[in-house]
Amino acid sequence: IGQGPAMRAMVSMYEGLLRYEGTTTKLSPALAESWKVAPDGASIELRLRSGVKFHDGTTLDADTVKQSIDRTKAMNRAGSFYLQTLKEVQVVNPMTVRLVGTRPSVFLLYGLPNVYISGKAHLADPDRGAAFFQANGNGTGPYKLGRWDRGQQVVLEKFDDYWGGWAGRHVSKVIERIVPEPGTQQLLMERGDVHLGALGALGLTQDPKQLASKPGLKLVVTPSLRMTVISLNSRKGPTKDVRVRRALQLATDYEGMKRVYQGYGEIA
């Protein structure tokens, strides 16, 4: 339950060429086992991990990565945000791709964990797989889509062929209930009808410690890469004037926002 159910399902089913290490912004291998940035900074060469299976049973290779990234950029959604400087994806050899940019961009490199790679099935459809992905998934993640009852729940099931293996303690099925009303979410938590809820979705109408003090509830605090921003149009209207934007920045009560977040937010 909670905010961002689609994102939590996505990160369970899909992976990028790279990933962030823990809760930091340090890059580490994922579907690519190594990478090298060209001396001019404008291109990145990535060596893919062998033996990676997609949920449909097909195997990861350079051509699949090219088709997947080309689709993401063409659809202009989701991870395409990080591909704005990408000129083309080149297949160097069956297990190596080169991302060629129009100019040097650290944004492209550090955005790769958020550019998910999907299997090539349906990517060549006239709609580039839009209809297929409305009701299906085809990633490399530890969980595959078992069932999706729109507006109600998403059921994720263990993918036995996950390249990362299943050593350690894990669950074989995850049922993510979609509960838009914060009050209902909190009630479900208090009754023990759910195992995990995102505090950001429950709302900060009370001190989280007060909620966690109730029997059976435990508060887990971890760092997050999430950032709250207010976007301003810098091309038209009053905010086209940089002086207005600076004034709005100076007028923003950043310390007050920390109080709104009950002390759990930090100024970037």
Side-chain angles (χ1 to χ4, degrees):
I1 66 173
Q3 191 170 11
M7 178 55 69
R8 283 197 295 279
M10 288 288 286
V11 299
S12 299
M13 295 189 295
Y14 290 92
E15 298 170 297
L17 295 172
L18 305 177
R19 63 160 57 105
Y20 298 124
E21 192 170 296
T23 56
T24 73
T25 55
K26 182 180 179 180
L27 295 175
S28 61
L31 297 184
E33 59 185 9
S34 64
W35 68 97
K36 181 173 61 177
V37 179
D40 65 359
S43 66
I44 309 164
E45 190 166 295
L46 303 104
R47 174 70 181 175
L48 303 180
R49 189 181 300 275
S50 62
V52 175
K53 295 286 186 181
F54 287 95
H55 296 163
D56 66 355
T58 57
T59 304
L60 177 75
D61 61 17
D63 185 60
T64 302
V65 169
K66 173 176 171 56
Q67 289 192 43
S68 180
I69 294 180
D70 285 348
R71 174 190 185 270
T72 298
K73 187 171 177 64
M75 296 293 285
N76 196 30
R77 298 177 65 183
S80 63
F81 178 75
Y82 302 97
L83 303 175
Q84 297 176 40
T85 62
L86 179 65
K87 179 181 179 181
E88 65 174 325
V89 181
Q90 298 176 348
V91 174
V92 179
N93 60 51
M95 294 302 290
T96 305
V97 294
R98 182 182 296 118
L99 308 183
V100 181
T102 56
R103 63 180 186 275
S105 173
V106 72
F107 194 65
L108 174 61
L109 175 64
Y110 279 83
L112 288 180
N114 299 308
V115 179
Y116 300 130
I117 304 300
S118 58
K120 66 174 63 176
H122 297 280
L123 297 188
D125 291 355
D127 65 349
R128 292 184 176 271
F132 173 79
F133 288 109
Q134 281 291 320
N136 302 277
N138 191 17
T140 59
Y143 293 92
K144 59 184 179 181
L145 182 62
R147 179 174 174 180
W148 180 10
D149 300 322
R150 291 179 180 274
Q152 299 180 42
Q153 66 176 8
V154 176
V155 179
L156 303 175
E157 299 176 347
K158 174 184 176 183
F159 179 46
D160 291 327
D161 290 330
Y162 178 53
W163 64 267
W166 283 91
R169 299 177 61 192
H170 304 284
V171 296
S172 59
K173 179 183 289 187
V174 177
I175 301 174
E176 186 170 0
R177 297 174 61 179
I178 301 172
V179 183
E181 176 54 47
T184 305
Q185 294 181 33
Q186 183 168 332
L187 180 62
L188 290 171
M189 288 285 292
E190 293 174 357
R191 290 195 326 211
D193 290 340
V194 296
H195 296 100
L196 175 69
L199 192 60
L202 293 175
L204 293 172
T205 56
Q206 63 185 103
D207 189 323
K209 294 187 182 69
Q210 183 179 354
L211 177 61
S213 67
K214 299 182 178 181
L217 295 183
K218 179 181 179 180
L219 177 65
V220 179
V221 181
T222 58
S224 169
L225 294 179
R226 179 173 181 173
M227 184 180 294
T228 300
V229 300
I230 299 176
S231 300
L232 304 175
N233 192 324
S234 61
R235 297 188 177 183
K236 65 180 180 179
T239 50
K240 182 177 181 180
D241 190 330
V242 68
R243 295 171 300 175
V244 174
R245 301 199 300 274
R246 287 173 178 162
L248 290 171
Q249 182 183 27
L250 291 170
T252 300
D253 184 2
Y254 290 98
E255 290 298 328
M257 289 302 297
K258 290 174 64 176
R259 292 191 294 272
V260 169
Y261 284 98
Q262 302 285 352
Y264 290 95
E266 297 180 356
I267 299 174

Short mmCIF file of all heavy atoms in Angstrom, two decimals, residues 232-237 239-241 245:
data_model
loop_
_atom_site.label_atom_id
_atom_site.label_comp_id
_atom_site.label_asym_id
_atom_site.label_seq_id
_atom_site.Cartn_x
_atom_site.Cartn_y
_atom_site.Cartn_z
N LEU A 232 9.37 25.57 -11.92
CA LEU A 232 8.93 26.88 -12.42
C LEU A 232 9.18 26.97 -13.92
O LEU A 232 10.22 26.53 -14.40
CB LEU A 232 9.68 28.00 -11.71
CG LEU A 232 9.59 28.02 -10.17
CD1 LEU A 232 10.48 29.13 -9.62
CD2 LEU A 232 8.15 28.23 -9.73
N ASN A 233 8.23 27.53 -14.65
CA ASN A 233 8.39 27.73 -16.08
C ASN A 233 9.31 28.93 -16.30
O ASN A 233 8.98 30.06 -15.93
CB ASN A 233 7.04 27.97 -16.75
CG ASN A 233 7.12 27.90 -18.27
OD1 ASN A 233 8.11 28.31 -18.86
ND2 ASN A 233 6.10 27.36 -18.89
N SER A 234 10.48 28.68 -16.87
CA SER A 234 11.45 29.76 -17.06
C SER A 234 11.39 30.36 -18.46
O SER A 234 12.28 31.13 -18.84
CB SER A 234 12.86 29.23 -16.79
OG SER A 234 13.17 28.19 -17.70
N ARG A 235 10.35 30.02 -19.22
CA ARG A 235 10.28 30.50 -20.61
C ARG A 235 9.12 31.46 -20.87
O ARG A 235 9.08 32.10 -21.92
CB ARG A 235 10.19 29.31 -21.55
CG ARG A 235 11.42 28.42 -21.50
CD ARG A 235 11.41 27.36 -22.57
NE ARG A 235 12.63 26.57 -22.56
CZ ARG A 235 12.91 25.61 -23.43
NH1 ARG A 235 12.04 25.32 -24.40
NH2 ARG A 235 14.03 24.93 -23.34
N LYS A 236 8.17 31.53 -19.96
CA LYS A 236 7.06 32.47 -20.16
C LYS A 236 6.45 32.85 -18.82
O LYS A 236 6.66 32.17 -17.82
CB LYS A 236 6.00 31.87 -21.09
CG LYS A 236 5.29 30.64 -20.54
CD LYS A 236 4.26 30.12 -21.53
CE LYS A 236 3.53 28.89 -21.00
NZ LYS A 236 2.52 28.40 -21.97
N GLY A 237 5.68 33.94 -18.84
CA GLY A 237 5.05 34.41 -17.62
C GLY A 237 6.04 35.11 -16.70
O GLY A 237 7.22 35.31 -17.06
N THR A 239 7.67 34.12 -14.18
CA THR A 239 8.86 33.35 -13.79
C THR A 239 9.89 33.25 -14.91
O THR A 239 10.93 32.61 -14.74
CB THR A 239 8.46 31.94 -13.33
OG1 THR A 239 7.60 31.33 -14.31
CG2 THR A 239 7.72 32.00 -12.00
N LYS A 240 9.62 33.88 -16.05
CA LYS A 240 10.64 33.97 -17.09
C LYS A 240 11.78 34.87 -16.63
O LYS A 240 12.92 34.71 -17.05
CB LYS A 240 10.02 34.50 -18.39
CG LYS A 240 11.00 34.58 -19.55
CD LYS A 240 10.31 35.07 -20.82
CE LYS A 240 11.28 35.12 -21.99
NZ LYS A 240 10.62 35.59 -23.25
N ASP A 241 11.46 35.80 -15.74
CA ASP A 241 12.44 36.74 -15.19
C ASP A 241 13.21 36.04 -14.07
O ASP A 241 12.62 35.62 -13.07
CB ASP A 241 11.72 37.96 -14.64
CG ASP A 241 12.67 39.09 -14.27
OD1 ASP A 241 13.83 38.78 -13.90
OD2 ASP A 241 12.25 40.26 -14.33
N ARG A 245 12.33 34.40 -10.04
CA ARG A 245 12.65 33.06 -9.55
C ARG A 245 13.56 33.12 -8.32
O ARG A 245 13.40 32.37 -7.36
CB ARG A 245 13.30 32.22 -10.66
CG ARG A 245 12.42 32.06 -11.90
CD ARG A 245 12.85 30.90 -12.77
NE ARG A 245 14.21 31.00 -13.28
CZ ARG A 245 14.55 31.65 -14.39
NH1 ARG A 245 13.63 32.29 -15.10
NH2 ARG A 245 15.81 31.65 -14.80
#
